[in-house]
Structure formats: C-alpha cells, structure tokens
Amino acid sequence: MDQAVNAANLGAAASGLSLWSLFIHAAIVVQLVMIGLAISSVVVWGIIFDKVVTLRRVNRQATEFEDKFWSGGSLDDLYESDGAKPQHPLAAVFGAAMGEWRRSARIPGVDLVRGGVQERVDRAMTITVTREMERLGRWMIFLATIGPVAPFIGLFGTVWGIMHAFGSIAAMHNTNLSVVAPGISEALFATAIGLVTAIPAVIAYNVISNNLAVFEDRMAGFGTEFAAILSRQSEERG
C-alpha cells in the first residue's frame, strides 16, 4: 500500500521545486518549450521597450516641429532645415508635401489650382504617412502573434510533461506525493512561462496599437492642415 502523505513527504516534495530544478528535471520536449517561451519573452520585452522609447521620441519631435511650423516662419526655410532630410515622421510628411509642391511650382505655365497639384501633394502625404506607420509598427505582428499563441505552446509543454510524469510514476509503482509532485510541477511550469510571456504581449499590443493609431491621426491631421495652407497659397499665386 502507498505511504500516507505526511509532513516529511511534503517537505521532500517542496525542496525539489525550485525554478531551476523544475527546468533541469523536465522532459527534453518540455525544456525546449520553456526555452522557446523564455526567448520569446525576452523579445517581447525588447519590443515593448523599443516601442515605448520610439513613440515618446517621435511625439516629442512632432511637438517641436509643430512649434516651428506654426511660429510664422518661412515654409521654405523650414523645408531646408527639417523637410529636405527629415529625421522624424512628421517632418517626413511635411517634406513630401512641400517637395512635391515646389517641384510642381517650377513647371513652366503650371496651374497650381487646377493642374492636379493638390492631388499629387495629397498622394505624397498619404504614401509618406503609410510608410512611416509601417516603420513604426514593425514587430507589432510578433506581439499580436505571441500573445494568443504562447499559452497554447505552454499548454502543449504541460500536456507532454504530464504524460512523461505519469509514465515515470507508473514505472515506479508509487503515487507518493514526493514522487508525483515534481513531475506535475515541471509540466505546469511550462504553462506558467507561457502565461508570463503572453500577458505582457497582449497588454503591450493593445496599448501600443492605440498609441500608434493616435500618432497616425496626428500626422493625418497635420497633413490636412498643411494641404489647406498649400491650397490657399496656390490660389494666391494663381
């Protein structure tokens, strides 16, 4: 008959349940799952850090640029200083629009009002906004993927580990807690790592996606205002 569970058995089981012990004694498949999830977790936090820093930087640069833009200075001077070789997304939108407008204005006999200039300027800004958002949103697909997938990968490791643990228990013909607990704990550890990887990924994806959408609206709004200014200047020249 199996031994009764007592305090000594509980102490023996707990002594072998450190995180390193759970990893070392897990089946090779479970170890590979844990390693994969741990690497994914590092990548997730790296992406989160990069996106937070990048969004703070581009918003600060956008604010500084808008201050220059609305200060009443020359648009040509602003183009030469910031738009010709843009260092941030909002300057890139301005540079694309201003560059297209200046090239069109140099065409002999062009009608800036009815010559399709406004359509080309709008198209240049739209393409630039799309390109800049693609650059800012790089690696977001990884967060979107690892969030829902990581728990299932961890669950696969858990199922495999439990199967392995039950096989070991059957071979030992012993269901004592000190025999059962380590194997089950090693298996469940994979699910825990999956959740630790997935939860930050899901939260970060939602928050960063919202911030990206807000910044995209900011660029689109600036583009609309700038297009109106260029349209007014075209009518004045006409």
Side-chain angles (χ1 to χ4, degrees):
M1 181 177 294
D2 296 336
Q3 294 180 351
V5 177
N6 53 40
N9 291 333
L10 290 173
S15 63
L17 298 183
S18 67
L19 299 183
W20 179 248
S21 176
L22 293 177
F23 173 77
I24 289 298
H25 295 97
I28 183 63
V29 173
V30 181
Q31 287 181 342
L32 293 176
V33 168
M34 292 179 181
I35 292 173
L37 290 172
I39 294 174
S40 298
S41 182
V42 172
V43 175
V44 164
W45 282 106
I47 294 172
I48 293 172
F49 178 79
D50 175 71
K51 295 305 177 187
V52 169
V53 171
T54 299
L55 283 170
R56 286 183 178 177
R57 185 183 71 249
V58 297
N59 274 291
R60 184 183 68 253
Q61 292 171 330
T63 299
E64 294 172 353
F65 179 79
E66 286 178 326
D67 291 340
K68 293 181 182 178
F69 181 83
W70 296 111
S71 65
S74 170
L75 292 180
D76 289 319
D77 291 343
L78 185 59
Y79 175 77
E80 295 298 333
S81 62
D82 290 16
K85 295 181 179 179
Q87 301 298 317
H88 55 89
L90 201 62
V93 174
F94 168 78
M98 192 67 181
E100 181 60 41
W101 191 78
R102 292 178 68 175
R103 286 190 294 270
S104 298
R106 288 195 294 265
I107 300 175
V110 67
D111 187 346
L112 292 176
V113 179
R114 301 179 181 85
V117 177
Q118 191 65 40
E119 289 78 5
R120 291 198 296 272
V121 169
D122 290 340
R123 191 179 304 114
M125 286 192 292
T126 299
I127 292 173
T128 303
V129 169
T130 301
R131 183 175 63 247
E132 292 298 323
M133 290 309 302
E134 288 177 350
R135 183 176 63 82
L136 290 174
R138 193 173 301 156
W139 289 101
M140 288 297 291
I141 188 64
F142 184 84
L143 295 182
T145 301
I146 203 66
V149 169
F152 291 100
I153 296 176
L155 183 60
F156 166 76
T158 295
V159 172
W160 189 280
I162 290 176
M163 292 169 54
H164 182 266
F166 281 157
S168 300
I169 292 170
M172 297 178 66
H173 301 289
N174 190 348
T175 57
N176 192 327
L177 182 61
S178 61
V179 175
V180 175
I184 302 300
S185 299
E186 293 157 12
L188 294 175
F189 187 40
T191 294
I193 297 178
L195 293 174
V196 169
T197 303
I199 291 173
V202 171
I203 295 174
Y205 177 79
N206 291 329
V207 173
I208 295 173
S209 294
N210 180 70
N211 291 337
L212 287 172
V214 170
F215 187 74
E216 183 176 12
D217 291 341
R218 183 177 186 178
M219 287 196 295
F222 171 81
T224 300
E225 292 175 326
F226 186 44
I229 293 174
L230 292 180
S231 178
R232 184 165 55 252
Q233 290 191 359
S234 298
E235 293 176 357
E236 291 173 354
R237 289 194 178 190

